[in-house]
DNA sequence: CCATAATGCGTGTATATACACGTTAAGCAT
DNA sequence: ATGCTTAACGTGTATATACACGCATTATGG
């Protein structure tokens, strides 16, 4: 009988995440952190709730992941519109990490595309978005 | 410029995992646990190290995940060949969970195939295995 | 205006996951 | 046999992730 899509997805996810993690190691962040930084950059200052929507992550997950970035001094929390809302924005160090990480990230991306081929890469993108 | 394969993978992985988790909820296990039970079933009694190889998970991860299954009384630990080795095997309750879960799992699997279509499903499988 | 509902967050709890370390047990070479 | 190496495991530590609760703040209906 066929393989479980979910298990295949999870395995592929772990393997590929590991590739990106290794590539990003020199700049001291992993893929999840790098991606979160990029999402912050695209909309800063941004509330944790909005960041959760953008990343498709639970708010509490975002909250904790941001806390790690804060401890690493890559982002800073500021006050939002409300008294309840707190907004995240990049620090200079965070911006530097994004700059330094871009070519590393590109390298893995290119590597994957080379391995799969252009057509398959496009198929993969479409299929993953359809799920 | 394109989307990050890794992020797409991770998002898809979370979404699809959530589908299976919901479907399996009635039997009290999540997808990761159900899958681990299946892997145990295919080779029981099996050592934690071997189980790690089969599942492509770190041994320490397997160790901890098995511990949860043990607490749920779905598996039991026995002595392996060595004094060092400990082997895992299903309990009757664990076997029952696999039996009860099979149709639930099938349902999601079928649902995904219906959504993607047969051709795309096969493509997805091939692509994920190639990664 | 005030009571209630909705919003935004943090924290408790739990699982999943990996890496680094240390321990114990086997295997092997001299 | 003794000592070195390898194998199997557990645990400490850390991040990622989600759900349920509870608290504070804002919005809203009457």
């Amino acid at each position: 009988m066929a393989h479980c899509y979910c298990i295949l997805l999870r395995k592929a996810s772990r393997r590929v995440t590991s590739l990106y993690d290794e590539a990003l190691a020199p700049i001291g962040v992993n893929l999840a952190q790098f991606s979160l930084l990029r999402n912050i950059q695209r909309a800063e200052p941004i509330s944790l709730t909005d960041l959760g929507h953008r990343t498709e992550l639970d708010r509490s997950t975002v909250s904790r992941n941001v806390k790690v970035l804060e401890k690493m001094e890559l982002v800073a929390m500021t006050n939002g519109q409300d008294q309840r809302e707190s907004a995240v924005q990049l620090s200079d160090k965070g911006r530097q990490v994004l700059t330094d990480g871009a070519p590393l990230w590109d390298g893995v991306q290119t590597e994957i595309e080379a391995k799969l081929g252009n057509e398959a890469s496009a198929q993969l993108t479409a299929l993953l978005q359809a799920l």
Side-chain angles (χ1 to χ4, degrees), chain A:
Chain A
M1 129 272 34
H3 298 275
C4 175
Y5 297 115
C6 195
I7 294 302
L8 287 176
L9 263 173
R10 288 165 69 93
K11 283 185 183 175
S13 178
R14 290 198 298 266
R15 283 196 299 267
V16 175
T17 296
S18 173
L19 289 180
Y20 282 87
D21 282 352
E22 280 176 42
L24 294 175
I27 56 169
V29 296
N30 62 28
L31 186 274
Q33 294 165 343
F34 189 74
S35 169
L36 187 53
L37 283 175
R38 278 203 164 163
N39 275 286
I40 294 169
Q41 183 182 42
R42 291 193 197 110
E44 64 175 335
I46 183 175
S47 74
L48 298 180
T49 297
D50 287 348
L51 198 48
H53 292 155
R54 272 182 169 265
T55 55
E56 293 183 32
L57 290 170
D58 190 83
R59 188 183 43 68
S60 69
T61 299
V62 170
S63 175
R64 287 183 162 108
N65 292 1
V66 162
K67 194 171 293 179
V68 174
L69 294 180
E70 201 183 357
K71 192 165 51 176
M72 299 168 82
E73 298 181 331
L74 301 179
V75 303
M77 305 298 295
T78 59
N79 290 329
Q81 311 270 345
D82 282 7
Q83 224 50 30
R84 335 167 249 192
E85 189 180 311
S86 58
V88 197
Q89 55 184 47
L90 296 178
S91 68
D92 289 345
K93 199 170 159 190
R95 263 174 255 284
Q96 190 62 48
V97 163
L98 281 174
T99 304
D100 295 344
L104 305 178
W105 180 89
D106 282 340
V108 183
Q109 194 82 354
T110 302
E111 201 177 299
I112 291 175
E113 278 167 1
K115 182 156 100 181
L116 293 181
N118 285 335
E119 198 183 342
S121 299
Q123 275 178 3
L124 179 63
T125 300
L127 287 169
L128 292 177
Q129 286 172 337
L131 280 171

